[in-house]
Amino acid sequence: MGFHLQLHPPKLSAWVIVLLVLFLPATLTAYFLHNLAWLVVVPFGIIVLALFIAALPLKRKVTPEQFADELESHLFGTGDPWDWDDSSSVAIADPRLEAVRMRLGLNLDSLSHEKDKDELRSIIAALRRGELPEVTLHPERLSPFRWRK
């Protein structure tokens, strides 16, 4: 039996990171410009900029084949932790694929039932054939906060 030493970098909590992002640039700006007003102006500007960027109507440009690859990585569990969120939450420029994406997150996020996996397999197969599949909505899994068509 050997001794195993594994070093991990210290993990900062989310609020510490937010404070660093907001106030480190503000502190440096206030120091170099010799004006404490920057301690308020810079964090406010960062928040406004972040809200502006979040409100931009950016859409991904993907082909049906690329979209099928994203769905397949979710089906097999080979994707990164946030890949499914990107696939199901970020709007797609192609309106036909967007219609499919809008209905995906409602019933295929967990893949806890075999019928969900079969449905996702059929969607992937249809996308690979160049067809746009119909995604069924399961009433027991509808979210009251997502009423878009």
Side-chain angles (χ1 to χ4, degrees):
M1 220 193 281
F3 178 73
H4 179 71
L5 176 64
Q6 189 172 5
L7 299 174
H8 297 282
K11 293 186 179 184
L12 296 175
S13 64
W15 66 269
V16 171
I17 293 171
V18 168
L19 290 175
L20 283 174
V21 167
L22 289 176
F23 291 108
L24 184 64
T27 304
L28 292 174
T29 304
Y31 176 76
F32 286 116
L33 296 179
H34 304 290
N35 189 344
L36 291 179
W38 290 107
L39 288 174
V40 174
V41 173
V42 171
F44 181 74
I46 291 172
I47 291 170
V48 168
L49 180 64
L51 291 175
F52 176 75
I53 291 172
L56 290 175
L58 301 176
K59 296 184 177 185
R60 301 184 303 136
K61 293 178 181 161
V62 295
T63 64
E65 184 69 28
Q66 291 169 330
F67 192 50
D69 290 340
E70 292 174 8
L71 298 178
E72 195 170 62
S73 71
H74 175 61
L75 177 66
F76 296 135
T78 58
D80 292 332
W82 292 105
D83 284 351
W84 176 248
D85 184 57
D86 292 342
S87 298
S88 64
S89 300
V90 180
I92 299 176
D94 183 347
R96 300 166 304 145
L97 289 176
E98 175 64 10
V100 174
R101 183 204 63 85
M102 289 293 291
R103 295 185 296 263
L104 281 179
L106 295 175
N107 60 343
L108 297 176
D109 54 350
S110 68
L111 295 177
S112 58
H113 304 301
E114 193 60 37
K115 67 179 179 175
D116 294 339
K117 292 178 184 178
D118 292 338
E119 184 176 357
L120 190 56
R121 283 186 196 102
S122 67
I123 292 169
I124 293 167
L127 287 170
R128 294 207 189 279
R129 289 190 306 268
E131 301 170 4
L132 291 173
E134 278 298 316
V135 179
T136 58
L137 297 177
H138 299 291
E140 67 272 6
R141 296 190 205 147
L142 289 177
S143 169
F145 301 107
R146 191 167 176 176
W147 290 339
R148 292 182 280 171
K149 292 182 182 178

